Amino acid sequence: MPGYTKRLGRELSDLKTNPAVGISVFQADDFRIWLIDIQVMDDNPLYVGKTFRLQFRFTPTYPIEAPEVQFIRSLGGEIPMHPHIYSNGHICLDVLGSGWSPIQTVGSVSMSIQSMLAGNDRNERPPDDARYVASAPISPKQTRFVYHDDNV
Amino acid sequence: MQPAELHKEAGNALFSHEDYEGAIRYTKAIVQDASNPAYFTNRALCRLRLHKYEEALADCQKALELTSDNMKAHFYKAQALLALDRPNEALRSSKLAYELALKQKSPSASSIAQTVLNAKKRRWEVMEHRRVEKEGQLLFEMKDILHARYETKIKQAEEDPDATEQEKIESREFLEYEYSEKISQLEHTFERSDEKYRKREVPDYLIDPISFNVFYDPVVSKSGQSFERSVILEHLKNHKFDPFTREYLTERDLRSNLSLKAACEQFLDENGWAVDY
């Protein structure tokens, strides 16, 4: 979509001036790749005191097409434990795939992921983690995730 | 293949490698066949890239003489006019280009809509500049008049044969106070009228929820949500659902939101800065 840079520019200004609690821009020097840091604000023992890093990759068709989003290991950081988050950082979440809508933003996606973490108490990886990570595509967008239960 | 077409093919190849000077081989095509408007619009585009706006404009005019409803010609003409700082004309041409793009279902529609917005912004800037200048001159003149009156009154007070020295001093002090009060009131009034034009927030309801631009041609879907036409069409090409409710949605379900369109036009007329807020 022509003008996707305009939309991203506005999203960035907004993220910087009205940051949601626990969400901050770590790095956004271009309109291709942004790094967003997430913290879970309540006292969830799985994540308290930790900061996780999300990598957003955009294409010229953003926001008509979803960005590619995954967790990455920052210096000393880790991939959060969650039954829908693979150890390579790929996330099984509908809003990132078939549930994407062009009115979503980096902010709204970050908040969805943040609440996905906040509502979780299972300290585990997806059951097929080892198999998935061994054969996963580089980009999670190429994976056809099946979105399981909505309990987590 | 005709020699003219051969030149055009060669020109296209050079253009895609960003060799715009070389692509002016279109000139040779035109010499062979001056009745094909595409040769002129192709060359106009090269000239736009080379910042040769007067020449690009001339090529667009020639193309329009051949076919008056040539979308590319109107679009490139608008871009050239904007670069030449003729925003009113640019606005007219870009609006024409937009209507043609919709009719032809061209993917350039959203770029053209952006050019319309840019032209509106530039037009507003020019009017703003004139307004501020005129106001500045008016303020200066009013201050001059007040000062002249003050001087006259001071002189009268000085030359009053019936006043004592003490009374004269008091008069003068009062006149000074009155004069400075009036000046400050005058400046305050001008400032207040200026605040109307100072940058505020753009209201959410005037903004397309997908591109985040101020609306130019809003349409409303079955759910009652409004979108910029060219942008929602882009979405519906491969995703036939309402971005808000996810219910099934196609182009046929869209209706113009005329009152929103009018509201945006008026808002942009007074707040051209909002195009790039």
Side-chain angles (χ1 to χ4, degrees), chain B:
Chain B
M1 209 191 279
Q2 294 278 342
E5 276 300 299
L6 279 170
H7 284 304
K8 181 179 166 219
E9 296 289 316
N12 283 351
L14 289 163
F15 186 92
S16 60
H17 285 107
E18 299 186 8
D19 179 4
Y20 304 123
E21 291 280 4
I24 307 237
R25 280 186 72 164
Y26 290 132
T27 313
K28 296 212 180 119
I30 291 167
V31 169
Q32 300 275 357
D33 176 10
S35 69
N36 187 336
Y39 300 152
F40 288 104
T41 51
N42 285 352
R43 190 169 69 173
L45 186 56
C46 292
R47 288 180 159 159
L48 282 179
R49 295 281 183 273
L50 293 167
H51 308 292
K52 301 213 167 120
Y53 301 116
E54 293 281 2
E55 290 158 337
L57 192 54
D59 276 340
C60 291
Q61 301 287 50
K62 295 234 189 65
L64 288 171
E65 279 164 27
L66 294 166
T67 46
S68 60
D69 54 359
N70 184 323
M71 179 199 82
K72 284 187 181 177
H74 285 296
F75 185 25
Y76 301 159
K77 179 175 171 183
Q79 290 179 54
L81 287 166
L82 203 51
L84 292 168
D85 213 16
R86 289 155 65 173
N88 287 315
E89 298 169 81
L91 187 55
R92 266 199 306 268
S93 292
S94 54
K95 281 184 172 178
L96 280 168
Y98 178 77
E99 296 302 323
L100 287 166
L102 284 187
K103 260 198 226 130
Q104 299 167 15
K105 300 199 185 292
S106 161
S108 305
S110 47
S111 302
I112 300 177
Q114 189 62 54
T115 305
V116 171
L117 289 179
N118 291 340
K120 287 187 183 212
K121 176 182 167 208
R122 186 67 201 134
R123 185 182 64 165
W124 174 85
E125 281 174 355
V126 168
M127 288 190 319
E128 255 307 88
H129 187 76
R130 277 196 215 130
R131 183 191 67 84
V132 168
E133 247 183 31
K134 257 182 24 189
E135 259 185 27
Q137 280 167 1
L138 182 61
L139 179 59
F140 188 75
E141 204 179 312
M142 304 243 69
K143 281 187 176 177
D144 240 15
I145 289 172
L146 277 179
H147 188 78
R149 283 218 191 136
Y150 160 73
E151 302 245 282
T152 309
K153 286 188 185 175
I154 289 275
K155 199 153 167 261
Q156 280 169 356
E158 270 304 303
E159 292 165 4
D160 184 354
D162 297 324
T164 66
E165 268 316 302
Q166 182 58 29
E167 279 169 350
K168 281 188 186 175
I169 291 173
E170 278 173 15
S171 286
R172 195 172 58 235
E173 281 179 2
F174 178 74
L175 287 172
E176 272 171 15
Y177 159 76
E178 190 189 51
Y179 169 66
S180 72
E181 271 298 295
K182 285 193 177 163
I183 291 285
S184 132
Q185 238 186 354
L186 182 64
E187 286 178 339
H188 191 61
T189 306
F190 270 76
E191 251 171 51
R192 258 206 338 248
S193 90
D194 216 32
E195 246 158 53
K196 236 183 28 152
Y197 296 90
R198 212 140 287 166
K199 289 189 186 182
R200 317 171 250 150
E201 292 283 306
V202 183
D204 281 338
Y205 55 84
L206 298 182
I207 293 178
D208 171 48
I210 299 178
S211 67
F212 290 5
N213 273 327
V214 178
F215 285 114
Y216 167 55
D217 183 13
V219 291
V220 63
S221 70
K222 288 189 290 195
S223 64
Q225 295 286 353
S226 291
F227 305 93
E228 179 63 34
R229 183 192 300 271
S230 54
V231 177
I232 188 69
L233 286 180
E234 182 93 27
H235 164 77
L236 292 176
K237 257 199 298 203
N238 296 317
H239 310 279
K240 295 197 177 349
F241 63 86
D242 183 310
F244 283 95
T245 62
R246 301 200 77 89
E247 61 178 327
Y248 183 67
L249 182 71
T250 65
E251 185 178 342
R252 278 187 301 274
D253 299 316
L254 303 172
R255 298 283 177 274
S256 284
N257 189 336
L258 296 171
S259 35
L260 185 56
K261 182 175 176 144
C264 290
E265 286 240 22
Q266 181 169 8
F267 183 81
L268 280 184
D269 276 348
E270 293 171 13
N271 299 279
W273 55 267
V275 171
D276 283 328
Y277 72 95

